[in-house]
Amino acid sequence: DPDDQQHWSQVRERLAAGEKLDALALLEARVGGGAKARGPVRNPAAPASAFLTTQTQGLAGAELQAYLAQLASAQNAEVVSSGLQPTGRDDTPETIRLQATLTTTIGSLQTLLYQLETGTPYVFVDSVAVQLPNVGLGSTRQDPVLRVTLGIRALWRKGAA
């Protein structure tokens, strides 16, 4: 959609220029003006597909790794490494945490993050660190390959084998 491409192009330009508040305003306008404009928050039950449903938490972690690898592959991104992380003090017992390092372009990263946060199972992106691997080597590539480290989490429910 040309409107989406133009919108995301404006967001990237503003972020690159350090205009984070302008970029945030663009994003909020895109989703309907923020929480105040959407009315009261309801607490609907999540569908079963929102969870990693396996016999054990270990299998849920493997399922989350496989899900990330599948989405990354569809975006021509490469998962360099991934590993389960210990849950935090504030996490529920159902939380599965994963840290993954990928190589990808900015366009593919944008689509990957969108798919992670809007698809099922529900995946929450807690951290994103982006590095340009060959800085200073004279690379003038229009869409450079980035090294990205993601911190993600999902929720697990015990299910039948």
Side-chain angles (χ1 to χ4, degrees):
D1 182 5
D3 286 341
D4 281 343
Q5 290 174 351
Q6 181 181 7
H7 171 77
W8 288 112
S9 175
Q10 289 173 342
V11 170
R12 281 193 297 270
E13 287 171 11
R14 297 241 166 96
L15 284 172
E19 299 171 11
K20 292 179 179 153
L21 290 177
D22 288 347
L24 179 60
L26 276 173
L27 290 170
E28 285 180 342
R30 185 69 174 195
V31 296
K36 290 180 183 175
R38 288 191 287 271
V41 176
R42 293 187 182 93
N43 194 6
S49 62
F51 301 91
L52 300 167
T53 306
T54 61
Q55 272 298 106
T56 67
Q57 284 183 308
L59 289 173
E63 190 174 299
L64 182 57
Q65 286 178 309
Y67 179 66
L68 175 63
Q70 174 191 0
L71 291 179
S73 177
Q75 294 306 313
N76 296 318
E78 180 183 353
V79 177
V80 177
S81 65
S82 67
L84 295 177
Q85 299 295 300
T87 54
R89 192 171 44 129
D90 297 330
D91 287 336
T92 64
E94 300 84 17
T95 300
I96 305 294
R97 289 193 171 275
L98 179 75
Q99 181 172 321
T101 301
L102 305 98
T103 54
T104 185
T105 62
I106 190 71
S108 293
L109 175 61
Q110 175 188 337
T111 303
L112 175 67
L113 290 173
Y114 177 81
Q115 290 177 338
L116 278 171
E117 290 204 320
T118 60
T120 54
Y122 293 171
V123 176
F124 305 94
V125 178
D126 291 328
S127 65
V128 179
V130 180
Q131 295 176 315
L132 193 57
N134 298 321
V135 173
L137 298 180
S139 176
T140 58
R141 185 173 168 185
Q142 190 70 13
D143 197 12
V145 174
L146 307 170
R147 185 173 191 86
V148 179
T149 302
L150 296 176
I152 61 175
R153 67 185 158 87
L155 297 176
W156 165 72
R157 274 193 186 163
K158 187 169 184 158

